[in-house]
Amino acid sequence: AIGPGGGSPVTYTVVPGALDYAASLVAGDGIDSNVTADAAVTRSFTIAEADSFGNAREDAAGGIASKIAEGLNMTVRSARWPRSPSHSGITSVDPISVAFDSTNKVYVVSFRTTVSGALTTRLEIGGFTVRGSPFETTVLPGPPEPSRCVASGPGLSGAVAGEWQIVEVDARDAFDNRIDTGELGLFRMFVKRSDGGFVWTPAGDASPNYADTPVDPAITVEPFRWDVARAAYVGRYKSTHAWTGSGYDLDVAVVSLASGAMKDIGAGRRTIRVKGSPGAVDAAASSAFGPGLSRGP
């Protein structure tokens, strides 16, 4: 009840309780969203002091910055290093810095990473594990780096007229992270007759003329798509030019479309020989022979 002379209603101000390290509020890049591997871009997330009920404290003065730095550990577990079999698969994020933002009363953790994979952030403050720790998110690979991408597959060593030929691309970013996101439109393949009269610019040319390749109705090229079983981007082509018994050559070029510009990738320019298909087996025209057919046991 309100005493004599008291008014109603009565307004109270409820302030946060005592600081609880474990209840600190954490949010931002690498905590609640994915980031992309990049050596030049700094990512950041914030930590706000709070009471045990999760109420942010507005009287933070930067006194626990050193405790945050001591109890912070960020690592990336990557399964994308098949070219480096000795790599442990776990890389520490470095450098990491902790600074106090006196305007917004939060601690800002800044970091950069060039390794893609599962990002784990473990945070203890003053010996207390912050609620939600460890935080799990993903570092995505960057765009393809043509000089690190490599083309391979049977379609770059030879072809059979009328049959689909497979070409694979091991896609990598500038930091050698495997690009396995399945994103479309990263690579393109061009195929033409070597004796067709149109000549491509030299491999590595800054302004290649692949897009000017005349359309050949006897050559079909399918776009690259991510193939889970092969763990690579896979494209196909087929030539239905008639085989006259002596064969003919095809020029194949596989290029990166990163940043909107066509660029040659490793082992992506080949001239291959096309041979005729042996055709279906004709049982009536086939014969069997050998000692096992002419002798008894």
Side-chain angles (χ1 to χ4, degrees):
I2 303 300
S8 178
V10 178
T11 301
Y12 295 93
T13 299
V14 180
V15 299
L19 174 61
D20 184 346
Y21 292 145
S24 298
L25 306 175
V26 187
D29 288 350
I31 297 298
D32 50 23
S33 63
N34 295 335
V35 297
T36 301
D38 197 313
V41 178
T42 299
R43 313 293 180 177
S44 64
F45 59 88
T46 60
I47 302 172
E49 295 182 14
D51 64 14
S52 58
F53 303 103
N55 299 305
R57 293 177 56 90
E58 299 179 356
D59 60 348
I64 64 171
S66 60
K67 288 184 172 62
I68 292 174
E70 291 171 2
L72 179 62
N73 178 264
M74 300 179 70
T75 58
V76 178
R77 178 182 294 276
S78 176
R80 300 167 177 165
W81 292 77
R83 294 182 186 171
S84 305
S86 62
H87 192 272
S88 66
I90 300 178
T91 302
S92 295
V93 175
D94 183 50
I96 302 175
S97 65
V98 181
F100 182 66
D101 180 347
S102 59
T103 300
N104 297 301
K105 304 297 183 182
V106 295
Y107 299 87
V108 180
V109 177
S110 301
F111 67 97
R112 293 193 302 270
T113 179
T114 58
V115 179
S116 67
L119 173 62
T120 300
T121 300
R122 294 178 172 83
L123 178 58
E124 291 185 358
I125 302 177
F128 296 89
T129 299
V130 173
R131 294 173 189 170
S133 176
F135 303 93
E136 303 283 351
T137 187
T138 302
V139 180
L140 301 173
E145 167 51 50
S147 64
R148 292 184 177 272
C149 298
V150 178
S152 63
L156 292 180
S157 58
V160 176
E163 297 184 6
W164 286 106
Q165 313 302 319
I166 293 177
V167 176
E168 301 180 8
V169 174
D170 180 11
R172 303 288 177 131
D173 67 9
F175 312 105
D176 207 35
N177 297 305
R178 170 173 283 180
I179 301 173
D180 56 3
T181 57
E183 181 180 352
L184 299 178
L186 298 181
F187 304 96
R188 185 174 176 181
M189 178 163 52
F190 296 88
V191 181
K192 68 179 181 67
R193 283 280 297 253
S194 299
D195 57 3
F198 183 77
V199 179
W200 283 334
T201 49
D205 192 281
S207 301
N209 63 347
Y210 300 125
D212 298 326
T213 303
V215 175
D216 186 335
I219 296 177
T220 304
V221 180
E222 289 189 344
F224 283 94
R225 293 183 173 84
W226 177 252
D227 188 309
V228 175
R230 295 176 181 269
Y233 284 87
V234 175
R236 302 195 306 171
Y237 71 87
K238 177 171 64 175
S239 172
T240 56
H241 281 286
W243 186 73
T244 61
S246 59
Y248 55 89
D249 291 339
L250 291 178
D251 294 329
V252 180
V254 181
V255 299
S256 164
L257 302 179
S259 303
M262 290 187 187
K263 292 186 179 181
D264 291 295
I265 68 171
R269 279 280 294 263
R270 303 285 184 90
T271 296
I272 58 98
R273 191 71 173 169
V274 179
K275 62 182 181 179
S277 171
V281 175
D282 185 344
S286 302
S287 61
F289 59 90
L293 297 179
S294 57
R295 298 177 183 176

